[in-house]
Short mmCIF file of all heavy atoms in Angstrom, two decimals:
data_model
loop_
_atom_site.label_atom_id
_atom_site.label_comp_id
_atom_site.label_asym_id
_atom_site.label_seq_id
_atom_site.Cartn_x
_atom_site.Cartn_y
_atom_site.Cartn_z
N MET A 1 81.54 50.72 177.88
CA MET A 1 80.49 50.02 177.21
C MET A 1 81.03 48.74 176.58
O MET A 1 82.11 48.71 176.02
CB MET A 1 79.84 50.90 176.14
CG MET A 1 78.63 50.29 175.50
SD MET A 1 77.82 51.53 174.45
CE MET A 1 76.82 50.49 173.46
N SER A 2 80.25 47.70 176.63
CA SER A 2 80.66 46.40 176.11
C SER A 2 80.62 46.36 174.58
O SER A 2 79.82 47.05 173.96
CB SER A 2 79.73 45.33 176.67
OG SER A 2 79.94 44.09 176.03
N ASP A 3 81.51 45.58 173.99
CA ASP A 3 81.48 45.37 172.52
C ASP A 3 80.46 44.33 172.12
O ASP A 3 80.21 44.12 170.96
CB ASP A 3 82.83 44.96 172.03
CG ASP A 3 83.85 46.10 172.04
OD1 ASP A 3 83.41 47.27 172.08
OD2 ASP A 3 85.05 45.81 172.01
N ARG A 4 79.90 43.65 173.12
CA ARG A 4 78.95 42.59 172.84
C ARG A 4 77.63 43.16 172.36
O ARG A 4 77.19 44.23 172.80
CB ARG A 4 78.72 41.75 174.07
CG ARG A 4 79.97 40.97 174.46
CD ARG A 4 79.67 40.11 175.63
NE ARG A 4 78.66 39.14 175.26
CZ ARG A 4 78.68 37.88 175.67
NH1 ARG A 4 79.62 37.47 176.47
NH2 ARG A 4 77.73 37.05 175.33
N VAL A 5 76.99 42.43 171.45
CA VAL A 5 75.69 42.83 170.95
C VAL A 5 74.65 41.85 171.49
O VAL A 5 74.89 40.64 171.51
CB VAL A 5 75.67 42.79 169.41
CG1 VAL A 5 74.29 43.05 168.85
CG2 VAL A 5 76.67 43.80 168.85
N THR A 6 73.55 42.39 171.94
CA THR A 6 72.47 41.57 172.46
C THR A 6 71.30 41.63 171.49
O THR A 6 70.94 42.70 171.01
CB THR A 6 72.00 42.10 173.84
OG1 THR A 6 73.12 42.06 174.73
CG2 THR A 6 70.86 41.24 174.40
N MET A 7 70.71 40.45 171.21
CA MET A 7 69.51 40.36 170.40
C MET A 7 68.42 39.75 171.28
O MET A 7 68.53 38.59 171.68
CB MET A 7 69.76 39.52 169.16
CG MET A 7 70.84 40.12 168.26
SD MET A 7 71.19 39.12 166.81
CE MET A 7 69.76 39.48 165.79
N ARG A 8 67.42 40.55 171.57
CA ARG A 8 66.35 40.10 172.48
C ARG A 8 65.06 39.91 171.67
O ARG A 8 64.55 40.86 171.09
CB ARG A 8 66.13 41.11 173.58
CG ARG A 8 65.08 40.69 174.61
CD ARG A 8 64.93 41.75 175.67
NE ARG A 8 66.19 42.08 176.33
CZ ARG A 8 66.62 41.50 177.44
NH1 ARG A 8 65.90 40.59 178.04
NH2 ARG A 8 67.77 41.86 177.97
N VAL A 9 64.55 38.70 171.69
CA VAL A 9 63.30 38.40 170.99
C VAL A 9 62.15 38.86 171.88
O VAL A 9 62.00 38.37 173.02
CB VAL A 9 63.20 36.90 170.68
CG1 VAL A 9 61.85 36.60 169.99
CG2 VAL A 9 64.35 36.47 169.80
N LYS A 10 61.36 39.78 171.37
CA LYS A 10 60.25 40.31 172.17
C LYS A 10 59.00 39.47 171.90
O LYS A 10 58.77 39.05 170.77
CB LYS A 10 60.02 41.79 171.81
CG LYS A 10 61.27 42.61 172.11
CD LYS A 10 61.08 44.05 171.74
CE LYS A 10 60.42 44.73 172.91
NZ LYS A 10 60.30 46.20 172.68
N PRO A 11 58.22 39.21 172.93
CA PRO A 11 57.02 38.39 172.76
C PRO A 11 56.10 39.02 171.68
O PRO A 11 55.75 40.19 171.80
CB PRO A 11 56.36 38.42 174.12
CG PRO A 11 57.43 38.85 175.07
CD PRO A 11 58.37 39.71 174.29
N ASN A 12 55.75 38.26 170.68
CA ASN A 12 54.81 38.71 169.66
C ASN A 12 55.24 40.03 169.01
O ASN A 12 54.40 40.86 168.68
CB ASN A 12 53.40 38.84 170.20
CG ASN A 12 52.91 37.51 170.75
OD1 ASN A 12 53.21 36.45 170.21
ND2 ASN A 12 52.21 37.57 171.87
N GLY A 13 56.56 40.23 168.86
CA GLY A 13 57.05 41.47 168.30
C GLY A 13 58.41 41.31 167.64
O GLY A 13 58.74 40.23 167.16
N SER A 14 59.16 42.36 167.67
CA SER A 14 60.42 42.44 166.94
C SER A 14 61.55 41.74 167.70
O SER A 14 61.38 41.19 168.78
CB SER A 14 60.78 43.91 166.75
OG SER A 14 61.00 44.49 168.03
N ILE A 15 62.73 41.81 167.07
CA ILE A 15 63.97 41.39 167.71
C ILE A 15 64.75 42.69 167.99
O ILE A 15 65.17 43.38 167.06
CB ILE A 15 64.81 40.47 166.81
CG1 ILE A 15 64.01 39.20 166.50
CG2 ILE A 15 66.15 40.14 167.45
CD1 ILE A 15 64.63 38.32 165.42
N ARG A 16 64.92 43.00 169.26
CA ARG A 16 65.60 44.22 169.67
C ARG A 16 67.12 43.96 169.71
O ARG A 16 67.57 43.07 170.41
CB ARG A 16 65.11 44.69 171.02
CG ARG A 16 65.74 45.97 171.51
CD ARG A 16 65.33 47.15 170.66
NE ARG A 16 65.97 48.36 171.09
CZ ARG A 16 66.02 49.48 170.37
NH1 ARG A 16 65.42 49.53 169.22
NH2 ARG A 16 66.63 50.54 170.82
N VAL A 17 67.86 44.76 168.93
CA VAL A 17 69.31 44.63 168.90
C VAL A 17 69.89 45.81 169.70
O VAL A 17 69.62 46.97 169.41
CB VAL A 17 69.83 44.69 167.44
CG1 VAL A 17 71.34 44.58 167.40
CG2 VAL A 17 69.20 43.59 166.60
N THR A 18 70.69 45.47 170.70
CA THR A 18 71.35 46.47 171.53
C THR A 18 72.84 46.37 171.32
O THR A 18 73.44 45.33 171.58
CB THR A 18 70.98 46.28 173.01
OG1 THR A 18 69.58 46.29 173.16
CG2 THR A 18 71.59 47.36 173.86
N GLY A 19 73.44 47.46 170.82
CA GLY A 19 74.84 47.46 170.47
C GLY A 19 75.00 47.94 169.03
O GLY A 19 74.02 48.29 168.38
N THR A 20 76.20 47.95 168.54
CA THR A 20 76.49 48.43 167.18
C THR A 20 76.80 47.22 166.26
O THR A 20 77.62 46.38 166.61
CB THR A 20 77.66 49.42 167.17
OG1 THR A 20 77.31 50.51 168.03
CG2 THR A 20 77.94 49.92 165.77
N VAL A 21 76.14 47.22 165.11
CA VAL A 21 76.27 46.12 164.15
C VAL A 21 76.69 46.71 162.79
O VAL A 21 76.17 47.73 162.35
CB VAL A 21 74.93 45.38 163.98
CG1 VAL A 21 74.99 44.33 162.88
CG2 VAL A 21 74.49 44.77 165.30
N ASP A 22 77.65 46.05 162.13
CA ASP A 22 78.01 46.41 160.77
C ASP A 22 77.22 45.55 159.80
O ASP A 22 77.18 44.32 159.92
CB ASP A 22 79.51 46.18 160.50
CG ASP A 22 80.41 47.11 161.27
OD1 ASP A 22 79.96 48.23 161.62
OD2 ASP A 22 81.58 46.74 161.51
N PHE A 23 76.58 46.18 158.83
CA PHE A 23 75.90 45.48 157.75
C PHE A 23 76.92 45.38 156.61
O PHE A 23 77.40 46.39 156.13
CB PHE A 23 74.64 46.19 157.29
CG PHE A 23 73.53 46.13 158.28
CD1 PHE A 23 73.52 46.92 159.42
CD2 PHE A 23 72.47 45.25 158.10
CE1 PHE A 23 72.49 46.85 160.33
CE2 PHE A 23 71.43 45.16 159.01
CZ PHE A 23 71.44 45.96 160.13
N VAL A 24 77.23 44.15 156.17
CA VAL A 24 78.31 43.89 155.23
C VAL A 24 77.72 43.25 153.97
O VAL A 24 76.89 42.34 154.07
CB VAL A 24 79.33 42.94 155.88
CG1 VAL A 24 80.47 42.64 154.94
CG2 VAL A 24 79.87 43.53 157.19
N ASP A 25 78.17 43.72 152.79
CA ASP A 25 77.69 43.13 151.55
C ASP A 25 78.43 41.85 151.21
O ASP A 25 79.32 41.40 151.96
CB ASP A 25 77.75 44.15 150.39
CG ASP A 25 79.16 44.52 149.97
OD1 ASP A 25 80.12 43.78 150.34
OD2 ASP A 25 79.30 45.53 149.26
N ALA A 26 78.09 41.24 150.09
CA ALA A 26 78.67 39.94 149.71
C ALA A 26 80.18 39.99 149.52
O ALA A 26 80.84 38.95 149.60
CB ALA A 26 78.00 39.43 148.46
N ASP A 27 80.71 41.19 149.26
CA ASP A 27 82.16 41.33 149.07
C ASP A 27 82.89 41.70 150.34
O ASP A 27 84.12 41.92 150.34
CB ASP A 27 82.43 42.41 148.00
CG ASP A 27 81.89 42.00 146.64
OD1 ASP A 27 81.99 40.79 146.31
OD2 ASP A 27 81.36 42.87 145.94
N GLY A 28 82.16 41.82 151.44
CA GLY A 28 82.77 42.13 152.72
C GLY A 28 82.88 43.60 153.01
O GLY A 28 83.52 44.02 153.99
N ASN A 29 82.25 44.45 152.19
CA ASN A 29 82.28 45.91 152.42
C ASN A 29 81.21 46.30 153.41
O ASN A 29 80.05 45.88 153.26
CB ASN A 29 82.06 46.65 151.10
CG ASN A 29 83.10 46.27 150.05
OD1 ASN A 29 84.29 46.37 150.31
ND2 ASN A 29 82.64 45.83 148.90
N VAL A 30 81.57 47.14 154.37
CA VAL A 30 80.58 47.64 155.32
C VAL A 30 79.69 48.64 154.61
O VAL A 30 80.16 49.66 154.10
CB VAL A 30 81.25 48.29 156.55
CG1 VAL A 30 80.21 48.87 157.48
CG2 VAL A 30 82.10 47.26 157.29
N MET A 31 78.39 48.32 154.54
CA MET A 31 77.43 49.20 153.87
C MET A 31 76.88 50.23 154.84
O MET A 31 76.59 51.37 154.47
CB MET A 31 76.25 48.38 153.32
CG MET A 31 76.70 47.30 152.35
SD MET A 31 75.36 46.31 151.66
CE MET A 31 74.34 45.98 153.03
N GLU A 32 76.74 49.83 156.11
CA GLU A 32 76.13 50.70 157.10
C GLU A 32 76.45 50.13 158.48
O GLU A 32 76.55 48.92 158.66
CB GLU A 32 74.59 50.70 156.89
CG GLU A 32 73.82 51.52 157.86
CD GLU A 32 72.31 51.46 157.59
OE1 GLU A 32 71.87 50.60 156.81
OE2 GLU A 32 71.59 52.25 158.20
N SER A 33 76.62 51.02 159.45
CA SER A 33 76.74 50.59 160.84
C SER A 33 75.54 51.18 161.57
O SER A 33 75.17 52.35 161.37
CB SER A 33 78.03 51.13 161.45
OG SER A 33 79.14 50.52 160.85
N LYS A 34 74.92 50.38 162.40
CA LYS A 34 73.72 50.83 163.07
C LYS A 34 73.76 50.41 164.55
O LYS A 34 74.24 49.33 164.87
CB LYS A 34 72.52 50.21 162.38
CG LYS A 34 71.22 50.93 162.62
CD LYS A 34 70.21 50.55 161.54
CE LYS A 34 68.85 51.16 161.82
NZ LYS A 34 68.81 52.59 161.57
N THR A 35 73.26 51.28 165.41
CA THR A 35 73.27 51.04 166.84
C THR A 35 71.85 51.05 167.40
O THR A 35 71.06 51.95 167.07
CB THR A 35 74.09 52.15 167.55
OG1 THR A 35 75.42 52.15 167.02
CG2 THR A 35 74.15 51.92 169.05
N ASP A 36 71.55 50.05 168.19
CA ASP A 36 70.26 49.96 168.93
C ASP A 36 69.06 50.12 167.99
O ASP A 36 68.60 51.24 167.74
CB ASP A 36 70.22 51.03 170.04
CG ASP A 36 71.33 50.85 171.05
OD1 ASP A 36 71.92 49.74 171.09
OD2 ASP A 36 71.59 51.81 171.79
N PHE A 37 68.58 49.03 167.48
CA PHE A 37 67.47 49.02 166.53
C PHE A 37 66.67 47.76 166.69
O PHE A 37 67.09 46.84 167.41
CB PHE A 37 67.97 49.19 165.11
CG PHE A 37 68.96 48.15 164.69
CD1 PHE A 37 68.56 47.00 164.03
CD2 PHE A 37 70.30 48.31 164.98
CE1 PHE A 37 69.47 46.03 163.66
CE2 PHE A 37 71.23 47.34 164.62
CZ PHE A 37 70.81 46.20 163.96
N SER A 38 65.55 47.67 166.00
CA SER A 38 64.69 46.50 166.08
C SER A 38 64.50 45.90 164.69
O SER A 38 64.24 46.63 163.73
CB SER A 38 63.31 46.86 166.65
OG SER A 38 63.46 47.29 167.98
N LEU A 39 64.63 44.59 164.59
CA LEU A 39 64.43 43.87 163.35
C LEU A 39 63.03 43.30 163.29
O LEU A 39 62.52 42.79 164.30
CB LEU A 39 65.45 42.74 163.21
CG LEU A 39 66.91 43.13 163.06
CD1 LEU A 39 67.80 41.92 163.17
CD2 LEU A 39 67.12 43.84 161.73
N CYS A 40 62.44 43.35 162.12
CA CYS A 40 61.11 42.77 161.92
C CYS A 40 61.20 41.26 161.85
O CYS A 40 62.06 40.71 161.21
CB CYS A 40 60.49 43.31 160.63
SG CYS A 40 58.91 42.56 160.20
N ARG A 41 60.27 40.58 162.51
CA ARG A 41 60.17 39.12 162.34
C ARG A 41 58.75 38.71 162.04
O ARG A 41 58.43 37.54 161.97
CB ARG A 41 60.70 38.38 163.55
CG ARG A 41 59.88 38.50 164.80
CD ARG A 41 60.52 37.64 165.89
NE ARG A 41 59.78 37.80 167.12
CZ ARG A 41 59.34 36.81 167.86
NH1 ARG A 41 59.55 35.58 167.50
NH2 ARG A 41 58.68 37.05 168.96
N CYS A 42 57.86 39.72 161.80
CA CYS A 42 56.49 39.39 161.48
C CYS A 42 56.22 39.37 159.95
O CYS A 42 55.24 38.81 159.50
CB CYS A 42 55.54 40.34 162.15
SG CYS A 42 55.47 41.99 161.39
N GLY A 43 57.07 40.08 159.19
CA GLY A 43 56.91 40.18 157.75
C GLY A 43 56.03 41.31 157.29
O GLY A 43 55.84 41.50 156.09
N HIS A 44 55.50 42.12 158.19
CA HIS A 44 54.57 43.17 157.82
C HIS A 44 55.21 44.56 157.73
O HIS A 44 54.56 45.50 157.26
CB HIS A 44 53.39 43.23 158.81
CG HIS A 44 52.51 42.03 158.74
ND1 HIS A 44 51.55 41.85 157.77
CD2 HIS A 44 52.46 40.93 159.52
CE1 HIS A 44 50.93 40.71 157.94
NE2 HIS A 44 51.48 40.11 159.00
N SER A 45 56.44 44.72 158.16
CA SER A 45 57.06 46.04 158.15
C SER A 45 57.21 46.56 156.73
O SER A 45 57.56 45.81 155.80
CB SER A 45 58.45 45.97 158.82
OG SER A 45 59.10 47.22 158.69
N LYS A 46 57.02 47.85 156.55
CA LYS A 46 57.27 48.51 155.27
C LYS A 46 58.69 49.04 155.19
O LYS A 46 59.08 49.64 154.21
CB LYS A 46 56.26 49.63 155.08
CG LYS A 46 54.81 49.13 154.96
CD LYS A 46 53.84 50.27 154.99
CE LYS A 46 52.40 49.77 155.01
NZ LYS A 46 52.07 49.03 156.25
N GLU A 47 59.47 48.81 156.25
CA GLU A 47 60.85 49.28 156.30
C GLU A 47 61.79 48.12 156.61
O GLU A 47 62.75 48.29 157.37
CB GLU A 47 60.98 50.38 157.36
CG GLU A 47 60.11 51.58 157.10
CD GLU A 47 60.23 52.64 158.17
OE1 GLU A 47 61.25 52.71 158.84
OE2 GLU A 47 59.25 53.37 158.33
N LYS A 48 61.52 46.96 156.04
CA LYS A 48 62.34 45.77 156.30
C LYS A 48 63.81 46.09 155.97
O LYS A 48 64.07 46.79 155.00
CB LYS A 48 61.88 44.60 155.46
CG LYS A 48 60.53 44.09 155.84
CD LYS A 48 60.18 42.88 154.98
CE LYS A 48 58.73 42.48 155.13
NZ LYS A 48 57.80 43.33 154.42
N PRO A 49 64.75 45.62 156.74
CA PRO A 49 64.58 44.59 157.75
C PRO A 49 64.19 45.11 159.11
O PRO A 49 64.18 44.36 160.08
CB PRO A 49 66.00 43.95 157.81
CG PRO A 49 66.89 45.12 157.56
CD PRO A 49 66.16 45.96 156.55
N TYR A 50 63.87 46.39 159.20
CA TYR A 50 63.59 47.01 160.51
C TYR A 50 62.10 46.93 160.85
O TYR A 50 61.24 46.96 159.98
CB TYR A 50 64.06 48.46 160.54
CG TYR A 50 65.50 48.59 160.10
CD1 TYR A 50 65.81 49.19 158.90
CD2 TYR A 50 66.52 48.04 160.87
CE1 TYR A 50 67.14 49.27 158.47
CE2 TYR A 50 67.85 48.11 160.45
CZ TYR A 50 68.13 48.72 159.26
OH TYR A 50 69.43 48.78 158.82
N CYS A 51 61.83 46.89 162.13
CA CYS A 51 60.47 46.92 162.62
C CYS A 51 59.93 48.35 162.55
O CYS A 51 60.64 49.28 162.93
CB CYS A 51 60.45 46.45 164.08
SG CYS A 51 58.88 46.67 164.92
N ASP A 52 58.74 48.52 162.05
CA ASP A 52 58.10 49.84 162.01
C ASP A 52 56.85 49.85 162.87
O ASP A 52 56.04 50.79 162.80
CB ASP A 52 57.79 50.28 160.57
CG ASP A 52 56.71 49.44 159.91
OD1 ASP A 52 56.22 48.47 160.54
OD2 ASP A 52 56.34 49.77 158.77
N GLY A 53 56.65 48.84 163.67
CA GLY A 53 55.50 48.77 164.57
C GLY A 53 54.28 48.10 163.94
O GLY A 53 53.27 47.93 164.61
N SER A 54 54.37 47.71 162.67
CA SER A 54 53.24 47.12 162.00
C SER A 54 52.77 45.79 162.60
O SER A 54 51.62 45.39 162.39
CB SER A 54 53.56 46.88 160.50
OG SER A 54 53.76 48.09 159.84
N HIS A 55 53.63 45.14 163.37
CA HIS A 55 53.24 43.85 163.98
C HIS A 55 52.04 44.03 164.91
O HIS A 55 51.21 43.12 165.03
CB HIS A 55 54.43 43.23 164.74
CG HIS A 55 54.97 44.06 165.84
ND1 HIS A 55 55.97 45.00 165.64
CD2 HIS A 55 54.64 44.13 167.15
CE1 HIS A 55 56.25 45.60 166.81
NE2 HIS A 55 55.45 45.09 167.71
N ARG A 56 51.93 45.17 165.53
CA ARG A 56 50.80 45.43 166.45
C ARG A 56 49.49 45.42 165.66
O ARG A 56 48.54 44.77 166.03
CB ARG A 56 50.99 46.74 167.19
CG ARG A 56 52.10 46.69 168.20
CD ARG A 56 52.16 47.99 169.02
NE ARG A 56 53.55 48.24 169.42
CZ ARG A 56 54.38 49.05 168.80
NH1 ARG A 56 53.97 49.78 167.79
NH2 ARG A 56 55.62 49.19 169.21
N GLU A 57 49.44 46.21 164.59
CA GLU A 57 48.25 46.34 163.76
C GLU A 57 47.91 45.01 163.11
O GLU A 57 46.74 44.66 162.94
CB GLU A 57 48.48 47.41 162.69
CG GLU A 57 47.22 47.90 162.04
CD GLU A 57 47.52 49.10 161.15
OE1 GLU A 57 48.07 50.07 161.66
OE2 GLU A 57 47.20 49.00 159.95
N ALA A 58 48.93 44.24 162.75
CA ALA A 58 48.71 42.95 162.08
C ALA A 58 48.31 41.84 163.06
O ALA A 58 47.91 40.77 162.64
CB ALA A 58 49.98 42.54 161.35
N GLY A 59 48.46 42.14 164.36
CA GLY A 59 48.12 41.12 165.35
C GLY A 59 49.09 39.95 165.33
O GLY A 59 48.68 38.81 165.58
N PHE A 60 50.36 40.24 165.05
CA PHE A 60 51.36 39.16 164.96
C PHE A 60 51.44 38.36 166.26
O PHE A 60 51.50 38.92 167.35
CB PHE A 60 52.73 39.78 164.65
CG PHE A 60 53.87 38.78 164.71
CD1 PHE A 60 53.93 37.75 163.79
CD2 PHE A 60 54.84 38.90 165.67
CE1 PHE A 60 55.00 36.84 163.85
CE2 PHE A 60 55.90 37.99 165.73
CZ PHE A 60 55.97 36.95 164.81
N SER A 61 51.44 37.06 166.10
CA SER A 61 51.63 36.15 167.22
C SER A 61 52.77 35.18 166.89
O SER A 61 52.79 34.58 165.82
CB SER A 61 50.35 35.37 167.51
OG SER A 61 50.61 34.37 168.48
N ALA A 62 53.71 35.06 167.80
CA ALA A 62 54.85 34.18 167.59
C ALA A 62 54.50 32.72 167.86
O ALA A 62 55.27 31.83 167.57
CB ALA A 62 56.02 34.58 168.48
N GLU A 63 53.33 32.47 168.38
CA GLU A 63 52.93 31.07 168.70
C GLU A 63 52.50 30.33 167.48
O GLU A 63 51.96 30.83 166.57
CB GLU A 63 51.80 31.10 169.73
CG GLU A 63 52.19 31.80 171.01
CD GLU A 63 53.38 31.17 171.72
OE1 GLU A 63 53.44 29.94 171.81
OE2 GLU A 63 54.26 31.93 172.20
S1 LIG B 1 58.07 42.82 164.01
FE1 LIG B 1 57.47 44.87 164.08
S2 LIG B 1 56.82 45.29 162.08
FE2 LIG B 1 57.39 43.20 162.02
#
């Protein structure tokens, strides 16, 4: 498996992250490592920074 991480912007939806990412605090400490997840870019998720599917109900459009 590749060490590269892919971030795919989905039309009118989230940003799909494929691979493992370390979330690091301001001091450089790894707070959490997460694999294969979606980030919210619509602002409606109740689980930010992750997508919870609320973009569909909100009718989010990237245009
Ligand atoms: S992009 Fe899915 S909830 Fe925001």
Side-chain angles (χ1 to χ4, degrees):
M1 185 171 163
S2 171
D3 288 340
R4 294 183 62 142
V5 173
T6 301
M7 299 178 75
R8 182 181 304 268
V9 178
K10 300 179 86 175
N12 301 322
S14 64
I15 299 171
R16 181 68 182 165
V17 179
T18 303
T20 301
V21 175
D22 291 335
F23 288 78
V24 180
D25 69 15
D27 296 321
N29 302 307
V30 176
M31 303 180 316
E32 178 181 12
S33 294
K34 200 160 175 73
T35 302
D36 300 342
F37 55 95
S38 296
L39 293 171
C40 175
R41 69 177 177 130
C42 75
H44 293 282
S45 175
K46 294 171 186 65
E47 299 178 26
K48 294 181 191 78
Y50 308 111
C51 171
D52 68 357
S54 295
H55 60 271
R56 289 185 210 98
E57 197 171 303
F60 173 66
S61 173
E63 301 300 318

